[in-house]
Short mmCIF file of all heavy atoms in Angstrom, two decimals:
data_model
loop_
_atom_site.label_atom_id
_atom_site.label_comp_id
_atom_site.label_asym_id
_atom_site.label_seq_id
_atom_site.Cartn_x
_atom_site.Cartn_y
_atom_site.Cartn_z
N MET A 1 0.84 -1.19 0.00
CA MET A 1 0.00 0.00 0.00
C MET A 1 0.88 1.25 0.00
O MET A 1 1.97 1.24 0.57
CB MET A 1 -0.89 0.03 1.25
CG MET A 1 -1.95 -1.06 1.28
SD MET A 1 -3.04 -0.87 2.71
CE MET A 1 -2.04 -1.63 3.97
N ARG A 2 0.38 2.29 -0.63
CA ARG A 2 1.09 3.57 -0.61
C ARG A 2 0.40 4.51 0.39
O ARG A 2 -0.80 4.44 0.59
CB ARG A 2 1.07 4.19 -2.01
CG ARG A 2 1.92 3.43 -3.01
CD ARG A 2 1.85 4.07 -4.37
NE ARG A 2 2.84 3.47 -5.28
CZ ARG A 2 2.61 2.34 -5.95
NH1 ARG A 2 1.46 1.71 -5.84
NH2 ARG A 2 3.54 1.85 -6.74
N PHE A 3 1.18 5.41 0.97
CA PHE A 3 0.64 6.31 1.99
C PHE A 3 1.16 7.72 1.77
O PHE A 3 2.15 7.94 1.07
CB PHE A 3 1.08 5.84 3.39
CG PHE A 3 0.52 4.51 3.77
CD1 PHE A 3 1.21 3.35 3.47
CD2 PHE A 3 -0.70 4.42 4.41
CE1 PHE A 3 0.68 2.10 3.81
CE2 PHE A 3 -1.23 3.19 4.75
CZ PHE A 3 -0.54 2.02 4.45
N ARG A 4 0.47 8.67 2.41
CA ARG A 4 0.98 10.04 2.39
C ARG A 4 0.78 10.64 3.78
O ARG A 4 -0.14 10.26 4.52
CB ARG A 4 0.27 10.88 1.34
CG ARG A 4 -1.22 10.97 1.52
CD ARG A 4 -1.84 11.77 0.39
NE ARG A 4 -3.31 11.72 0.47
CZ ARG A 4 -4.12 12.32 -0.39
NH1 ARG A 4 -3.63 13.01 -1.40
NH2 ARG A 4 -5.42 12.21 -0.25
N ALA A 5 1.65 11.56 4.12
CA ALA A 5 1.60 12.28 5.39
C ALA A 5 1.54 13.76 5.06
O ALA A 5 2.44 14.28 4.40
CB ALA A 5 2.83 11.97 6.24
N ASP A 6 0.46 14.43 5.51
CA ASP A 6 0.28 15.85 5.23
C ASP A 6 0.40 16.14 3.73
O ASP A 6 1.00 17.12 3.30
CB ASP A 6 1.29 16.69 6.02
CG ASP A 6 0.88 18.15 6.08
OD1 ASP A 6 -0.33 18.44 5.95
OD2 ASP A 6 1.76 19.01 6.24
N GLY A 7 -0.14 15.23 2.93
CA GLY A 7 -0.20 15.44 1.49
C GLY A 7 1.03 15.00 0.72
O GLY A 7 1.03 14.98 -0.50
N ALA A 8 2.12 14.64 1.44
CA ALA A 8 3.36 14.26 0.77
C ALA A 8 3.45 12.74 0.71
O ALA A 8 3.27 12.06 1.72
CB ALA A 8 4.56 14.82 1.52
N MET A 9 3.75 12.21 -0.46
CA MET A 9 3.88 10.78 -0.59
C MET A 9 5.08 10.28 0.21
O MET A 9 6.15 10.89 0.19
CB MET A 9 4.04 10.40 -2.06
CG MET A 9 3.93 8.92 -2.30
SD MET A 9 3.64 8.58 -4.04
CE MET A 9 3.56 6.80 -4.00
N ILE A 10 4.88 9.16 0.91
CA ILE A 10 5.95 8.60 1.74
C ILE A 10 6.78 7.62 0.93
O ILE A 10 6.25 6.69 0.32
CB ILE A 10 5.34 7.90 2.97
CG1 ILE A 10 4.60 8.93 3.84
CG2 ILE A 10 6.42 7.19 3.78
CD1 ILE A 10 3.71 8.31 4.89
N VAL A 11 8.09 7.87 0.91
CA VAL A 11 9.02 7.02 0.18
C VAL A 11 10.08 6.54 1.17
O VAL A 11 10.55 7.30 2.01
CB VAL A 11 9.70 7.80 -0.98
CG1 VAL A 11 10.73 6.93 -1.68
CG2 VAL A 11 8.65 8.28 -1.96
N CYS A 12 10.46 5.28 1.08
CA CYS A 12 11.47 4.73 1.99
C CYS A 12 12.79 5.48 1.84
O CYS A 12 13.29 5.62 0.72
CB CYS A 12 11.67 3.25 1.69
SG CYS A 12 12.95 2.51 2.72
N PRO A 13 13.39 5.95 2.95
CA PRO A 13 14.67 6.68 2.86
C PRO A 13 15.85 5.77 2.53
O PRO A 13 16.92 6.26 2.17
CB PRO A 13 14.82 7.30 4.26
CG PRO A 13 14.05 6.39 5.15
CD PRO A 13 12.88 5.87 4.32
N CYS A 14 15.65 4.48 2.67
CA CYS A 14 16.77 3.55 2.43
C CYS A 14 16.82 3.07 0.98
O CYS A 14 17.88 3.08 0.36
CB CYS A 14 16.65 2.35 3.36
SG CYS A 14 16.80 2.77 5.09
N CYS A 15 15.65 2.64 0.45
CA CYS A 15 15.69 1.99 -0.86
C CYS A 15 14.78 2.68 -1.87
O CYS A 15 14.67 2.21 -3.00
CB CYS A 15 15.30 0.51 -0.71
SG CYS A 15 13.54 0.27 -0.34
N ARG A 16 14.12 3.77 -1.47
CA ARG A 16 13.26 4.57 -2.35
C ARG A 16 12.00 3.85 -2.80
O ARG A 16 11.29 4.29 -3.71
CB ARG A 16 14.02 5.06 -3.60
CG ARG A 16 15.40 5.61 -3.33
CD ARG A 16 15.43 6.68 -2.27
NE ARG A 16 14.72 7.91 -2.68
CZ ARG A 16 14.48 8.94 -1.87
NH1 ARG A 16 14.84 8.89 -0.61
NH2 ARG A 16 13.86 10.00 -2.31
N ASN A 17 11.70 2.73 -2.16
CA ASN A 17 10.45 2.02 -2.43
C ASN A 17 9.28 2.85 -1.90
O ASN A 17 9.43 3.64 -0.97
CB ASN A 17 10.51 0.64 -1.73
CG ASN A 17 9.24 -0.14 -1.95
OD1 ASN A 17 8.74 -0.23 -3.05
ND2 ASN A 17 8.72 -0.71 -0.87
N ASP A 18 8.09 2.66 -2.45
CA ASP A 18 6.94 3.45 -1.99
C ASP A 18 5.75 2.58 -1.56
O ASP A 18 4.63 3.07 -1.47
CB ASP A 18 6.52 4.45 -3.07
CG ASP A 18 6.05 3.77 -4.34
OD1 ASP A 18 6.04 2.53 -4.40
OD2 ASP A 18 5.70 4.49 -5.29
N THR A 19 5.99 1.30 -1.30
CA THR A 19 4.89 0.47 -0.80
C THR A 19 5.27 -0.07 0.59
O THR A 19 6.39 -0.50 0.83
CB THR A 19 4.60 -0.71 -1.75
OG1 THR A 19 5.79 -1.47 -1.96
CG2 THR A 19 4.05 -0.20 -3.06
N PHE A 20 4.29 0.00 1.50
CA PHE A 20 4.53 -0.31 2.91
C PHE A 20 3.38 -1.15 3.47
O PHE A 20 2.26 -1.11 2.96
CB PHE A 20 4.60 0.99 3.74
CG PHE A 20 5.71 1.91 3.34
CD1 PHE A 20 5.53 2.81 2.30
CD2 PHE A 20 6.92 1.89 4.00
CE1 PHE A 20 6.56 3.68 1.93
CE2 PHE A 20 7.94 2.74 3.64
CZ PHE A 20 7.76 3.64 2.60
N ASP A 21 3.69 -1.88 4.54
CA ASP A 21 2.67 -2.51 5.37
C ASP A 21 2.49 -1.66 6.62
O ASP A 21 3.45 -1.24 7.24
CB ASP A 21 3.10 -3.92 5.79
CG ASP A 21 3.14 -4.88 4.61
OD1 ASP A 21 2.21 -4.82 3.78
OD2 ASP A 21 4.09 -5.66 4.53
N LYS A 22 1.22 -1.42 6.99
CA LYS A 22 0.93 -0.58 8.15
C LYS A 22 0.68 -1.43 9.38
O LYS A 22 0.05 -2.47 9.30
CB LYS A 22 -0.30 0.29 7.86
CG LYS A 22 -0.57 1.31 8.96
CD LYS A 22 -1.62 2.31 8.55
CE LYS A 22 -3.00 1.67 8.53
NZ LYS A 22 -4.06 2.67 8.28
N ASP A 23 1.21 -0.96 10.52
CA ASP A 23 0.97 -1.63 11.79
C ASP A 23 0.97 -0.57 12.89
O ASP A 23 1.22 0.60 12.62
CB ASP A 23 2.06 -2.69 12.03
CG ASP A 23 1.59 -3.80 12.97
OD1 ASP A 23 0.52 -3.64 13.61
OD2 ASP A 23 2.29 -4.81 13.06
N TYR A 24 0.70 -1.00 14.12
CA TYR A 24 0.65 -0.06 15.25
C TYR A 24 1.53 -0.58 16.37
O TYR A 24 1.66 -1.77 16.58
CB TYR A 24 -0.79 0.09 15.76
CG TYR A 24 -1.73 0.61 14.73
CD1 TYR A 24 -2.47 -0.28 13.95
CD2 TYR A 24 -1.87 1.97 14.53
CE1 TYR A 24 -3.33 0.20 12.98
CE2 TYR A 24 -2.72 2.45 13.56
CZ TYR A 24 -3.46 1.56 12.79
OH TYR A 24 -4.30 2.02 11.82
N ARG A 25 2.13 0.35 17.09
CA ARG A 25 2.91 0.00 18.27
C ARG A 25 2.55 0.96 19.39
O ARG A 25 2.36 2.15 19.15
CB ARG A 25 4.42 0.11 17.98
CG ARG A 25 4.95 -0.98 17.06
CD ARG A 25 4.92 -2.35 17.69
NE ARG A 25 5.46 -3.37 16.80
CZ ARG A 25 4.77 -4.03 15.87
NH1 ARG A 25 3.49 -3.76 15.71
NH2 ARG A 25 5.33 -4.94 15.12
N GLN A 26 2.49 0.45 20.61
CA GLN A 26 2.22 1.32 21.75
C GLN A 26 3.48 2.00 22.22
O GLN A 26 4.56 1.41 22.24
CB GLN A 26 1.62 0.50 22.89
CG GLN A 26 0.11 0.45 22.85
CD GLN A 26 -0.46 0.41 24.25
OE1 GLN A 26 -0.03 -0.38 25.06
NE2 GLN A 26 -1.42 1.26 24.52
N LEU A 27 3.34 3.25 22.62
CA LEU A 27 4.48 4.02 23.10
C LEU A 27 4.39 4.12 24.62
O LEU A 27 4.17 5.17 25.18
CB LEU A 27 4.45 5.42 22.48
CG LEU A 27 4.63 5.45 20.98
CD1 LEU A 27 4.36 6.86 20.47
CD2 LEU A 27 6.03 5.02 20.60
N ASN A 28 4.56 3.00 25.28
CA ASN A 28 4.42 2.99 26.74
C ASN A 28 5.68 2.42 27.38
O ASN A 28 5.62 1.75 28.40
CB ASN A 28 3.19 2.20 27.16
CG ASN A 28 3.24 0.76 26.68
OD1 ASN A 28 4.18 0.38 25.96
ND2 ASN A 28 2.28 -0.04 27.05
N SER A 29 6.81 2.73 26.81
CA SER A 29 8.06 2.23 27.38
C SER A 29 8.32 2.90 28.72
O SER A 29 7.86 4.00 28.98
CB SER A 29 9.22 2.49 26.42
OG SER A 29 9.51 3.87 26.42
N ARG A 30 9.09 2.25 29.56
CA ARG A 30 9.42 2.82 30.86
C ARG A 30 10.16 4.13 30.71
O ARG A 30 9.97 5.05 31.48
CB ARG A 30 10.27 1.83 31.66
CG ARG A 30 9.44 0.96 32.55
CD ARG A 30 10.34 0.16 33.48
NE ARG A 30 11.17 -0.77 32.73
CZ ARG A 30 12.18 -1.44 33.25
NH1 ARG A 30 12.49 -1.28 34.51
NH2 ARG A 30 12.88 -2.30 32.52
N GLY A 31 11.01 4.23 29.73
CA GLY A 31 11.75 5.46 29.53
C GLY A 31 10.84 6.64 29.28
O GLY A 31 11.00 7.70 29.86
N ALA A 32 9.86 6.44 28.44
CA ALA A 32 8.94 7.52 28.11
C ALA A 32 8.14 7.93 29.34
O ALA A 32 7.91 9.11 29.58
CB ALA A 32 8.00 7.10 26.98
N THR A 33 7.71 6.94 30.14
CA THR A 33 6.94 7.25 31.34
C THR A 33 7.81 8.02 32.34
O THR A 33 7.38 9.00 32.95
CB THR A 33 6.43 5.95 31.99
OG1 THR A 33 5.65 5.26 31.03
CG2 THR A 33 5.58 6.25 33.21
N PHE A 34 9.06 7.60 32.48
CA PHE A 34 9.98 8.25 33.41
C PHE A 34 10.12 9.73 33.09
O PHE A 34 10.15 10.57 33.97
CB PHE A 34 11.35 7.55 33.33
CG PHE A 34 12.38 8.19 34.22
CD1 PHE A 34 12.41 7.93 35.59
CD2 PHE A 34 13.33 9.04 33.69
CE1 PHE A 34 13.36 8.51 36.40
CE2 PHE A 34 14.29 9.63 34.50
CZ PHE A 34 14.31 9.37 35.87
N PHE A 35 10.20 10.05 31.82
CA PHE A 35 10.37 11.44 31.44
C PHE A 35 9.05 12.21 31.38
O PHE A 35 9.03 13.38 31.05
CB PHE A 35 11.08 11.54 30.08
CG PHE A 35 12.54 11.19 30.18
CD1 PHE A 35 13.00 10.01 29.63
CD2 PHE A 35 13.43 12.03 30.84
CE1 PHE A 35 14.35 9.67 29.72
CE2 PHE A 35 14.77 11.70 30.94
CZ PHE A 35 15.24 10.51 30.40
N GLY A 36 7.94 11.54 31.68
CA GLY A 36 6.66 12.22 31.82
C GLY A 36 6.10 12.75 30.52
O GLY A 36 5.37 13.74 30.50
N LEU A 37 6.42 12.10 29.43
CA LEU A 37 5.93 12.59 28.14
C LEU A 37 4.45 12.25 27.99
O LEU A 37 4.02 11.13 28.27
CB LEU A 37 6.73 11.95 27.00
CG LEU A 37 8.23 12.22 27.09
CD1 LEU A 37 8.97 11.47 26.00
CD2 LEU A 37 8.51 13.71 26.97
N ASP A 38 3.67 13.22 27.55
CA ASP A 38 2.23 13.02 27.57
C ASP A 38 1.75 12.06 26.48
O ASP A 38 0.63 11.58 26.53
CB ASP A 38 1.48 14.36 27.46
CG ASP A 38 1.85 15.12 26.21
OD1 ASP A 38 2.63 14.60 25.39
OD2 ASP A 38 1.34 16.23 26.03
N TRP A 39 2.62 11.71 25.53
CA TRP A 39 2.21 10.76 24.51
C TRP A 39 2.67 9.34 24.86
O TRP A 39 2.59 8.43 24.05
CB TRP A 39 2.75 11.15 23.13
CG TRP A 39 4.18 11.59 23.11
CD1 TRP A 39 4.63 12.88 23.11
CD2 TRP A 39 5.35 10.76 23.10
NE1 TRP A 39 6.01 12.88 23.11
CE2 TRP A 39 6.47 11.62 23.10
CE3 TRP A 39 5.55 9.38 23.07
CZ2 TRP A 39 7.78 11.12 23.09
CZ3 TRP A 39 6.86 8.89 23.07
CH2 TRP A 39 7.96 9.75 23.10
N ALA A 40 3.10 9.16 26.11
CA ALA A 40 3.75 7.90 26.48
C ALA A 40 2.85 6.68 26.25
O ALA A 40 3.36 5.60 25.98
CB ALA A 40 4.20 7.95 27.93
N ASN A 41 1.55 6.85 26.40
CA ASN A 41 0.68 5.69 26.27
C ASN A 41 -0.14 5.72 24.98
O ASN A 41 -1.11 4.99 24.84
CB ASN A 41 -0.25 5.59 27.47
CG ASN A 41 0.54 5.21 28.71
OD1 ASN A 41 1.32 4.27 28.69
ND2 ASN A 41 0.34 5.95 29.78
N ARG A 42 0.25 6.54 24.05
CA ARG A 42 -0.46 6.58 22.78
C ARG A 42 0.07 5.53 21.82
O ARG A 42 1.16 5.01 21.99
CB ARG A 42 -0.30 7.96 22.13
CG ARG A 42 -1.10 9.04 22.85
CD ARG A 42 -0.84 10.39 22.22
NE ARG A 42 -1.16 10.42 20.79
CZ ARG A 42 -0.85 11.42 19.99
NH1 ARG A 42 -0.20 12.45 20.46
NH2 ARG A 42 -1.17 11.38 18.71
N ASN A 43 -0.72 5.26 20.81
CA ASN A 43 -0.26 4.37 19.75
C ASN A 43 0.46 5.18 18.69
O ASN A 43 0.05 6.28 18.34
CB ASN A 43 -1.45 3.67 19.10
CG ASN A 43 -1.89 2.47 19.90
OD1 ASN A 43 -1.10 1.85 20.63
ND2 ASN A 43 -3.15 2.14 19.79
N ALA A 44 1.53 4.62 18.18
CA ALA A 44 2.18 5.16 17.00
C ALA A 44 1.84 4.26 15.82
O ALA A 44 1.61 3.06 15.99
CB ALA A 44 3.68 5.23 17.20
N THR A 45 1.80 4.87 14.66
CA THR A 45 1.64 4.09 13.43
C THR A 45 3.02 3.80 12.87
O THR A 45 3.87 4.70 12.83
CB THR A 45 0.83 4.89 12.41
OG1 THR A 45 -0.40 5.28 12.99
CG2 THR A 45 0.56 4.04 11.16
N ILE A 46 3.24 2.57 12.47
CA ILE A 46 4.50 2.26 11.80
C ILE A 46 4.22 1.79 10.38
O ILE A 46 3.20 1.12 10.12
CB ILE A 46 5.35 1.21 12.55
CG1 ILE A 46 4.63 -0.13 12.64
CG2 ILE A 46 5.72 1.72 13.94
CD1 ILE A 46 5.52 -1.26 13.15
N LEU A 47 5.08 2.17 9.47
CA LEU A 47 5.02 1.68 8.10
C LEU A 47 6.30 0.88 7.85
O LEU A 47 7.40 1.38 8.04
CB LEU A 47 4.93 2.83 7.10
CG LEU A 47 3.67 3.69 7.19
CD1 LEU A 47 3.70 4.77 6.08
CD2 LEU A 47 2.41 2.87 7.08
N VAL A 48 6.12 -0.38 7.45
CA VAL A 48 7.26 -1.27 7.20
C VAL A 48 7.45 -1.38 5.70
O VAL A 48 6.55 -1.82 4.97
CB VAL A 48 7.02 -2.66 7.81
CG1 VAL A 48 8.24 -3.55 7.60
CG2 VAL A 48 6.67 -2.56 9.29
N CYS A 49 8.61 -0.96 5.23
CA CYS A 49 8.90 -1.01 3.80
C CYS A 49 8.81 -2.46 3.31
O CYS A 49 9.40 -3.38 3.89
CB CYS A 49 10.30 -0.46 3.55
SG CYS A 49 10.82 -0.61 1.83
N GLN A 50 8.07 -2.66 2.23
CA GLN A 50 7.88 -4.02 1.72
C GLN A 50 9.11 -4.54 1.00
O GLN A 50 9.21 -5.72 0.71
CB GLN A 50 6.66 -4.06 0.78
CG GLN A 50 5.34 -3.89 1.53
CD GLN A 50 4.14 -3.95 0.62
OE1 GLN A 50 4.22 -3.70 -0.57
NE2 GLN A 50 2.99 -4.27 1.20
N ARG A 51 10.06 -3.67 0.72
CA ARG A 51 11.25 -4.11 0.02
C ARG A 51 12.41 -4.39 0.98
O ARG A 51 12.96 -5.48 1.01
CB ARG A 51 11.65 -3.05 -1.02
CG ARG A 51 12.86 -3.43 -1.84
CD ARG A 51 13.09 -2.39 -2.93
NE ARG A 51 14.38 -2.55 -3.57
CZ ARG A 51 14.92 -1.64 -4.38
NH1 ARG A 51 14.27 -0.52 -4.64
NH2 ARG A 51 16.10 -1.85 -4.92
N CYS A 52 12.77 -3.39 1.81
CA CYS A 52 13.97 -3.54 2.66
C CYS A 52 13.63 -3.69 4.13
O CYS A 52 14.53 -3.86 4.94
CB CYS A 52 14.92 -2.37 2.45
SG CYS A 52 14.38 -0.84 3.25
N THR A 53 12.34 -3.60 4.50
CA THR A 53 11.80 -3.74 5.87
C THR A 53 12.20 -2.60 6.80
O THR A 53 12.06 -2.71 8.01
CB THR A 53 12.15 -5.10 6.54
OG1 THR A 53 13.53 -5.11 6.92
CG2 THR A 53 11.85 -6.27 5.61
N HIS A 54 12.69 -1.50 6.27
CA HIS A 54 12.90 -0.30 7.09
C HIS A 54 11.57 0.09 7.73
O HIS A 54 10.52 0.03 7.10
CB HIS A 54 13.42 0.85 6.22
CG HIS A 54 13.49 2.16 6.95
ND1 HIS A 54 14.52 2.50 7.78
CD2 HIS A 54 12.63 3.20 6.96
CE1 HIS A 54 14.30 3.70 8.27
NE2 HIS A 54 13.17 4.15 7.80
N ILE A 55 11.61 0.52 9.00
CA ILE A 55 10.40 0.93 9.71
C ILE A 55 10.39 2.44 9.87
O ILE A 55 11.35 3.02 10.39
CB ILE A 55 10.30 0.26 11.10
CG1 ILE A 55 10.22 -1.26 10.95
CG2 ILE A 55 9.10 0.80 11.87
CD1 ILE A 55 10.24 -1.99 12.29
N ALA A 56 9.29 3.07 9.46
CA ALA A 56 9.09 4.50 9.66
C ALA A 56 7.99 4.68 10.70
O ALA A 56 6.95 4.02 10.64
CB ALA A 56 8.68 5.17 8.34
N TRP A 57 8.23 5.58 11.68
CA TRP A 57 7.28 5.80 12.77
C TRP A 57 6.53 7.11 12.55
O TRP A 57 7.14 8.12 12.17
CB TRP A 57 8.03 5.90 14.10
CG TRP A 57 8.62 4.62 14.56
CD1 TRP A 57 9.73 4.00 14.05
CD2 TRP A 57 8.15 3.78 15.62
NE1 TRP A 57 9.96 2.83 14.76
CE2 TRP A 57 9.02 2.68 15.72
CE3 TRP A 57 7.06 3.88 16.51
CZ2 TRP A 57 8.83 1.68 16.67
CZ3 TRP A 57 6.88 2.88 17.46
CH2 TRP A 57 7.76 1.79 17.53
N PHE A 58 5.23 7.10 12.86
CA PHE A 58 4.41 8.29 12.72
C PHE A 58 3.55 8.46 13.96
O PHE A 58 2.90 7.50 14.40
CB PHE A 58 3.51 8.18 11.48
CG PHE A 58 4.28 8.17 10.19
CD1 PHE A 58 4.75 6.98 9.68
CD2 PHE A 58 4.56 9.33 9.52
CE1 PHE A 58 5.49 6.94 8.51
CE2 PHE A 58 5.30 9.32 8.35
CZ PHE A 58 5.76 8.13 7.84
N MET A 59 3.51 9.68 14.49
CA MET A 59 2.65 9.95 15.65
C MET A 59 1.21 10.18 15.22
O MET A 59 0.29 10.00 16.00
CB MET A 59 3.17 11.16 16.43
CG MET A 59 4.46 10.89 17.16
SD MET A 59 4.32 9.49 18.32
CE MET A 59 3.10 10.15 19.47
N SER A 60 1.00 10.64 14.00
CA SER A 60 -0.35 10.73 13.47
C SER A 60 -0.44 9.79 12.28
O SER A 60 0.53 9.63 11.52
CB SER A 60 -0.69 12.16 13.06
OG SER A 60 0.26 12.63 12.13
N GLU A 61 -1.58 9.16 12.12
CA GLU A 61 -1.68 8.09 11.14
C GLU A 61 -1.62 8.62 9.72
O GLU A 61 -2.39 9.53 9.35
CB GLU A 61 -3.01 7.35 11.36
CG GLU A 61 -3.13 6.14 10.44
CD GLU A 61 -4.20 5.18 10.93
OE1 GLU A 61 -4.64 5.29 12.08
OE2 GLU A 61 -4.60 4.33 10.12
N PRO A 62 -0.71 8.11 8.89
CA PRO A 62 -0.66 8.53 7.48
C PRO A 62 -1.93 8.12 6.75
O PRO A 62 -2.56 7.12 7.09
CB PRO A 62 0.55 7.79 6.93
CG PRO A 62 1.34 7.37 8.13
CD PRO A 62 0.34 7.15 9.22
N GLU A 63 -2.29 8.91 5.76
CA GLU A 63 -3.45 8.57 4.93
C GLU A 63 -3.07 7.56 3.86
O GLU A 63 -1.96 7.58 3.36
CB GLU A 63 -3.99 9.82 4.22
CG GLU A 63 -4.19 11.03 5.08
CD GLU A 63 -4.22 12.28 4.21
OE1 GLU A 63 -5.06 12.32 3.29
OE2 GLU A 63 -3.40 13.19 4.43
N ARG A 64 -4.06 6.74 3.49
CA ARG A 64 -3.84 5.91 2.30
C ARG A 64 -3.75 6.80 1.07
O ARG A 64 -4.42 7.83 0.98
CB ARG A 64 -5.04 4.97 2.11
CG ARG A 64 -5.02 3.79 3.04
CD ARG A 64 -3.97 2.76 2.66
NE ARG A 64 -4.09 2.32 1.28
CZ ARG A 64 -4.94 1.38 0.86
NH1 ARG A 64 -5.75 0.81 1.71
NH2 ARG A 64 -4.99 1.03 -0.41
N TRP A 65 -2.87 6.44 0.16
CA TRP A 65 -2.76 7.18 -1.10
C TRP A 65 -3.64 6.50 -2.12
O TRP A 65 -3.32 5.42 -2.61
CB TRP A 65 -1.30 7.21 -1.56
CG TRP A 65 -1.10 8.05 -2.78
CD1 TRP A 65 -1.43 7.70 -4.06
CD2 TRP A 65 -0.56 9.36 -2.85
NE1 TRP A 65 -1.12 8.72 -4.91
CE2 TRP A 65 -0.59 9.75 -4.21
CE3 TRP A 65 -0.06 10.24 -1.89
CZ2 TRP A 65 -0.11 11.00 -4.62
CZ3 TRP A 65 0.41 11.48 -2.32
CH2 TRP A 65 0.37 11.84 -3.65
N ASP A 66 -4.76 7.13 -2.42
CA ASP A 66 -5.69 6.55 -3.38
C ASP A 66 -5.60 7.28 -4.70
O ASP A 66 -5.96 8.43 -4.79
CB ASP A 66 -7.12 6.62 -2.84
CG ASP A 66 -7.28 5.74 -1.60
OD1 ASP A 66 -6.77 4.60 -1.63
OD2 ASP A 66 -7.88 6.19 -0.64
N ASP A 67 -5.10 6.62 -5.69
CA ASP A 67 -4.93 7.24 -7.00
C ASP A 67 -6.29 7.47 -7.68
O ASP A 67 -7.16 6.65 -7.56
CB ASP A 67 -4.08 6.34 -7.90
CG ASP A 67 -2.65 6.23 -7.34
OD1 ASP A 67 -2.14 7.23 -6.79
OD2 ASP A 67 -2.07 5.13 -7.47
ZN1 ZN B 101 12.97 0.34 1.88
#
């Protein structure tokens, strides 16, 4: 799947591929809690490059790119 963030198409910084698998990870690590960050228990969206498996993290969910 292709995605965009704030209107810009997301391209892998490692291999320039533009197709990703979307998943979610919780941001509730002990380190984040220790520092009192208010997003510590929020979910982040991750996009895993389908070619090289590089992971890109997003605090707001990227939109699907629908041609
Ligand atoms: Zn890649």
Side-chain angles (χ1 to χ4, degrees):
M1 292 185 279
R2 291 179 171 83
F3 295 90
R4 59 183 173 180
D6 197 25
M9 190 163 180
I10 297 167
V11 176
C12 177
C14 296
C15 71
R16 315 307 294 172
N17 179 47
D18 63 0
T19 56
F20 298 85
D21 292 318
K22 186 170 73 173
D23 204 348
Y24 300 94
R25 289 292 181 274
Q26 269 213 311
L27 295 171
N28 59 356
S29 71
R30 267 189 295 170
T33 302
F34 178 79
F35 287 109
L37 302 176
D38 58 3
W39 44 262
N41 291 311
R42 287 177 57 190
N43 278 333
T45 305
I46 63 169
L47 296 183
V48 183
C49 175
Q50 290 181 337
R51 182 174 168 192
C52 75
T53 73
H54 173 81
I55 297 175
W57 290 74
F58 294 87
M59 289 303 296
S60 56
E61 185 163 345
E63 311 159 56
R64 282 287 306 278
W65 185 284
D66 294 317
D67 295 324

